[in-house]
Amino acid sequence: MAASKSKGAPNLYGSFIHSAPGAFLAGKLGLPKPETLRRYAKGEPPLPGPVLLGGKGRTADAIRNLLSDYTFAETPVPGTKYGALVFDATAIASIDELAQLFEFFQPAMRGIAASGRVLVVGTTPELAASVQEQIAQRALEGFTRSVGKELLRGATAQLVYLHPEASASATGLESTLRFLLSAKSAFVDGQVIRVGKDDATAPADWDRPLEGKVAVVTGAARGIGATIAEVFARDGAKVIVADIPAAGEALSATANKVGGTALALDVTAPDAAEKLAEFATERFGGIDIIVHNAGITRDKLLANMDEGRWKAVLEVNLAAPHRITEGLVARGALKAGGRVIDVSSIAGIAGNRGQTNYGASKAGVIGMVDAESPKLAEHGITINAVAPGFIETAMTAAIPLGTREAGRLLSSLYQGGQTVDVAETIAYFAGPASNAVSGNVVRVCGQALIGA
Ligand code: NAD
């Protein structure tokens, strides 16, 4: 199975709307038209145009300094298409001052390029200095998510909350800025990311940020896991790809493709952590990054569910990642400065009919991120999760036609995502410059209405 090719089923609406009669009808009836999203390609500029930067808070200068290779503009020029509108909202400390959002964005909204970006940078509301500031900063979330729903042609909107004690140079913010203000975040929309106060060191090469790192990806024989392995290898990591013994052939194919090492490993085995720790320590001297991607569904309405389905899903998706993380840390196999990345799902946020087992497991994954983030911080390790929405894989190709088309269309981007979209988000968490990013759950769902 080719790892980078999505296994998606025919996209009926997408094909129709791009045909001559479809495009005609779309224009007449105002039907949504999915944009071909701009995705990362080495050597291409990160954005489809210059950045219009507004706001006079504590991060505006830092943003300009950190992104010195980007082109910035301060005042909108009519007719210009901007690659991004970025607003430093950290100076907004009262309800009245929220008017600054209107003043900056309203005149600029029509100037956003296709696959452009809106980015608002605020201060973590829970850590704000006053009641007024906390209210105003929290309001940024509703503003940004609503902007995301209004944007057209593959443009997206995100909010980043920076810790109030971050240094003036705000270097801890750079990896997040570079991810969100690039084609790598193509299918991430309407998200809120919290960045801590620590400074970060930029990698020597932003095109190979994982150079010298050892990464483990579970469930890497196919689908999202195989693409994570590819993106990690592209970014310079040595990759250990793990999957169940029965997936051996596909796993070897992934390993060959990425120049990685295959490990037959059932994550539910009681000695999985021990086996992984021994393997990685002997061959590579330890692990820098672990991605708990292996996952299964065993759908049934709760009334019809047997104990086997319940147990299997909870075991693979939740108990195993928890046990393996703890086991690797206890053995010292996951190095200081390590990264743990879990794979949740929008079903774990909103619930899904027929998926009480899966929804419980994927919500548990979010609990794991919340609970382990402060504990792992003591070892200099971060933990974050992605929550994919509708991603074109063998898993979603098996969904009945009507539900499948609805899953694709009911999002701000009117389409399903690609496995690479999930992988790019994971690679952002995995990067050495993301040390101030922990405890986040980022949905990779094109701002899906299902699961909102
Ligand atoms: P997939 O079924 O294509 O791949 C999952 C891989 O995990 C397979 O190679 C499988 O052999 C492996 N695996 C299963 N049990 C294992 C075990 N006990 N030990 C080791 N490996 C095991 O699925 P996918 O669509 O690529 O999904 C990857 C992850 O993303 C899963 O955690 C899934 O729940 C999550 N996810 C997917 C979507 C989507 O739209 N495809 C949406 C939300 C979340």
Side-chain angles (χ1 to χ4, degrees):
M1 199 179 289
S4 59
K5 292 265 186 301
S6 286
K7 295 285 143 212
N11 184 345
L12 296 184
Y13 181 82
S15 311
F16 165 73
I17 214 73
H18 284 113
S19 69
F24 175 77
L25 266 181
K28 289 277 172 223
L29 302 175
L31 297 176
K33 213 171 167 190
E35 181 80 14
T36 302
L37 304 179
R38 215 171 157 261
R39 289 192 167 86
Y40 172 83
K42 193 172 188 291
E44 291 284 311
L47 290 171
V51 178
L52 183 67
L53 178 64
K56 300 248 179 295
R58 63 195 165 104
T59 66
D61 287 343
I63 291 171
R64 222 180 280 103
N65 291 337
L66 293 169
L67 305 180
S68 57
D69 48 328
Y70 282 57
T71 310
F72 283 91
E74 312 271 306
T75 38
V77 176
T80 307
K81 284 289 178 197
Y82 292 97
L85 307 181
V86 179
F87 189 76
D88 175 1
T90 55
I92 295 181
S94 70
I95 296 166
D96 284 349
E97 286 165 5
L98 285 166
Q100 292 174 22
L101 295 172
F102 177 81
E103 285 155 19
F104 174 75
F105 283 104
Q106 196 284 327
M109 284 298 284
R110 288 184 208 281
I112 302 172
S115 288
R117 302 282 179 262
V118 162
L119 178 63
V120 177
V121 180
T123 294
T124 317
E126 311 85 85
L127 304 173
S130 70
V131 169
Q132 276 270 345
E133 185 183 8
Q134 180 166 355
I135 295 168
Q137 288 295 322
R138 183 61 180 77
L140 301 178
E141 201 172 314
F143 173 78
T144 312
R145 290 192 201 272
S146 301
V147 168
K149 293 188 176 182
E150 291 185 9
L151 291 173
L152 302 170
R153 306 204 52 206
T156 59
Q158 332 285 350
L159 171 62
V160 174
Y161 281 133
L162 180 64
H163 195 291
E165 290 161 25
S167 72
S169 57
T171 51
L173 199 55
E174 184 171 1
S175 68
T176 303
L177 295 174
R178 286 188 181 271
F179 171 63
L180 295 176
L181 297 176
S182 80
K184 290 182 174 178
S185 58
F187 201 60
V188 176
D189 197 5
Q191 296 307 290
V192 181
I193 298 180
R194 283 170 163 72
V195 177
K197 62 182 171 189
D198 291 350
D199 273 312
T201 306
D205 180 356
W206 278 105
D207 276 319
R208 287 184 67 83
L210 303 182
E211 199 76 69
K213 301 291 179 192
V214 176
V216 176
V217 183
T218 68
R222 65 177 204 182
I224 294 172
T227 310
I228 299 167
E230 281 180 40
V231 168
F232 276 4
R234 178 201 73 189
D235 284 357
K238 290 193 188 79
V239 192
I240 299 171
V241 290
D243 211 300
I244 47 172
E249 212 173 302
L251 187 65
S252 303
T254 306
N256 288 339
K257 192 165 185 183
V258 306
T261 312
L263 172 66
L265 181 80
D266 182 336
V267 295
T268 63
D271 63 347
E274 195 183 337
K275 214 175 144 189
L276 185 53
E278 267 173 25
F279 184 84
T281 308
E282 270 170 27
R283 300 230 184 173
F284 302 103
I287 297 168
D288 298 293
I289 301 156
I290 171 121
V291 183
H292 296 295
N293 165 78
I296 58 169
T297 51
R298 295 285 184 272
D299 298 357
K300 276 278 177 203
L301 293 176
L302 184 56
N304 302 332
M305 191 173 301
D306 54 276
E307 199 188 355
R309 281 172 201 267
W310 177 268
K311 278 192 169 162
V313 169
L314 268 293
E315 213 18 66
V316 176
N317 297 1
L318 183 57
H322 180 51
R323 215 164 33 228
I324 292 174
T325 301
E326 297 223 315
L328 293 180
V329 172
R331 287 174 176 79
L334 187 60
K335 296 190 217 160
R339 303 274 180 270
V340 179
I341 300 134
D342 292 308
V343 179
S344 179
S345 164
I346 57 171
I349 295 169
N352 207 11
R353 191 169 186 274
Q355 292 197 317
T356 48
N357 50 357
Y358 187 76
S361 73
K362 295 297 188 180
V365 164
I366 296 172
M368 203 156 70
V369 169
D370 290 346
E372 287 180 353
S373 173
K375 281 172 60 186
L376 292 174
E378 292 165 17
H379 303 268
I381 297 168
T382 66
I383 179 168
N384 295 281
V386 290
F390 187 100
I391 304 298
E392 305 283 356
T393 62
M395 195 189 253
T396 48
I399 297 173
L401 175 76
T403 320
R404 194 170 67 223
E405 286 295 315
R408 283 184 176 128
L409 286 178
L410 291 176
S411 77
S412 292
L413 298 174
Y414 309 120
Q415 58 193 291
Q418 303 291 330
T419 55
V420 72
D421 300 324
V422 182
E424 298 283 16
T425 311
I426 289 175
Y428 145 64
F429 285 139
S434 292
N435 55 292
V437 181
S438 191
N440 285 276
V441 178
V442 168
R443 289 169 51 162
V444 185
C445 68
Q447 206 175 23
L449 305 183
I450 297 176

